Amino acid sequence: LASLILLGGSLGDRFGRRRVMIVSDTGRALIFGALVVSGDLPIPVYYVAAFVAGCLDSPFESSRSAAIVDSVPDEDYPDALAISAGLDQIGLLAGYALGGTLVGLIGARGALGVNAASFVLSALLLSRMTPDRPSGRRDIIRVREAFDVIRSDRVISRSLGGFCLAA
């Protein structure tokens, strides 16, 4: 199952980065929205729903990272990546703080509703962005080159295998 989650990252190259991000956010909004309207459910159901929603994070984040490559000049890419990573960490910490505050103020069901609404808002904002650039033959060549590097380098292939097993 972990390997399927990792492979979800390649969906952005096949179906379009923006589309994958919109579908991922819409899926997460539906999952959390269903938890809000479903009434009292057994705790394991919440765990399964959170796991499924978490599985949608892999294709979203992979597509978002790839969109950065397409959005900034090559010389600015390291800076854009550093800014993105920093903002991700700030967002994670702020999300925990805001989530805890919301649970205290409006309860768990209300916090889940706000979470679902945030994914709807994200999907709407993404839908207003400019469409992806059309992928071409060069993208396929890059993927083949990457697989050739993985196959030819024993350290990389073993590290990748270990990572997949650990994940």
Side-chain angles (χ1 to χ4, degrees):
L1 186 58
S3 298
L4 291 176
I5 295 169
L6 293 173
L7 291 176
S10 65
L11 294 174
D13 292 330
R14 182 173 179 95
F15 297 108
R17 294 172 176 100
R18 188 174 66 116
R19 178 182 294 166
V20 169
M21 289 189 287
I22 291 169
V23 168
S24 296
D25 275 347
T26 303
R28 292 185 284 193
L30 290 171
I31 290 167
F32 290 115
L35 291 175
V36 171
V37 299
S38 63
D40 291 328
L41 297 170
I43 295 297
V45 173
Y46 288 96
Y47 287 138
V48 170
F51 175 78
V52 173
C55 289
L56 293 172
D57 192 52
S58 174
F60 180 91
E61 288 300 325
S62 297
S63 295
R64 186 181 64 82
S65 295
I68 293 172
V69 173
D70 293 339
S71 303
V72 298
D74 290 342
E75 62 272 6
D76 293 336
Y77 179 69
D79 294 333
L81 199 58
I83 290 169
S84 175
L87 289 174
D88 283 347
Q89 292 301 313
I90 291 169
L92 183 65
L93 293 174
Y96 288 145
L98 181 61
T101 302
L102 286 173
V103 168
L105 292 174
I106 59 177
R109 190 175 307 276
L112 285 172
V114 170
N115 193 31
S118 73
F119 287 119
V120 170
L121 178 62
S122 176
L124 290 173
L125 290 173
L126 287 166
S127 69
R128 297 185 54 100
M129 292 176 63
T130 57
D132 295 330
R133 65 172 174 78
S135 61
R137 176 129 176 88
R138 182 69 189 141
D139 291 336
I140 294 170
I141 293 170
R142 287 181 185 163
V143 171
R144 286 185 185 147
E145 290 171 355
F147 279 120
D148 289 341
V149 169
I150 292 169
R151 277 192 299 241
S152 66
D153 191 317
R154 192 178 245 176
V155 173
I156 292 175
S157 62
R158 286 183 178 172
S159 298
L160 183 61
F163 175 75
C164 289
L165 287 174

